[in-house]
């Protein structure tokens, strides 16, 4: 049997990890994501880490730096990193991260959703 690939999921909030709240959808920590990952764990070793819990419209260049730092510091020991992010500003964060980590040696994928899991 082949060894499972090791994937790190960094969560930042956004609609993908939101639940209904008093004033609409509210981002939550990784507990929302954890439930949905169980079937993928048959094929991959997945570690989940919460970086922040924000609506992506509130993510600023300071958060871009935090996300890039988390990717850089956690790249060793993983075959790939997935960043869950709100769709409103995901393109800006992904672009900034690309410039901050020009020679990253593993795949980094940003993903989000316009509907909660």
């Amino acid at each position: 049997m082949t060894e499972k690939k090791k994937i790190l999921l960094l969560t930042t909030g956004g609609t993908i990890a939101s639940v209904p709240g008093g004033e609409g959808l509210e981002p939550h920590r990784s507990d929302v994501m954890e439930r949905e990952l169980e079937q993928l764990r048959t094929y991959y070793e997945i570690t989940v880490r919460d970086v922040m819990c924000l609506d992506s419209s509130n993510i600023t260049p300071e958060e871009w730096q935090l996300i890039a730092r988390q990717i850089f510091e956690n790249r060793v020991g993983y075959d790939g990193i997935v960043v869950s992010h709100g769709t409103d500003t995901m393109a800006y964060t992904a672009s900034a991260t690309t410039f901050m980590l020009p020679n990253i040696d593993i795949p980094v994928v940003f993903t989000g959703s316009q509907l909660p899991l």
Side-chain angles (χ1 to χ4, degrees):
M1 181 172 169
T2 62
E3 189 175 320
K4 292 180 183 179
K5 296 284 187 181
K6 294 178 182 174
I7 306 297
L8 175 62
L9 171 60
L10 299 174
T11 69
T12 66
T15 301
I16 193 168
S18 291
V19 295
E23 297 183 29
L25 293 174
E26 298 173 352
H28 275 255
R29 296 266 174 213
S30 61
D31 55 330
V32 173
M33 305 289 283
E34 284 283 355
R35 292 190 309 257
E36 302 300 326
L37 292 173
E38 281 312 307
Q39 67 186 41
L40 291 175
R41 287 196 165 109
T42 302
Y43 307 101
Y44 304 98
E45 184 179 319
I46 303 171
T47 303
V48 180
R49 293 209 178 108
D50 296 320
V51 177
M52 63 191 71
C53 188
L54 293 174
D55 183 289
S56 71
S57 62
N58 295 320
I59 291 182
T60 66
E62 288 77 22
E63 283 82 22
W64 296 346
Q65 292 175 20
L66 178 60
I67 292 166
R69 188 175 303 112
Q70 288 295 310
I71 292 168
F72 183 78
E73 290 174 357
N74 290 290
R75 73 194 185 288
V76 177
Y78 291 99
D79 297 298
I81 296 176
V82 176
V83 179
S84 67
H85 195 289
T87 57
D88 289 343
T89 61
M90 183 182 352
Y92 300 111
T93 302
S95 178
T97 301
T98 298
F99 288 108
M100 286 187 254
L101 302 170
N103 297 314
I104 191 88
D105 57 351
I106 63 170
V108 176
V109 175
F110 280 76
T111 190
S113 176
Q114 294 183 334
L115 296 172
L117 283 174

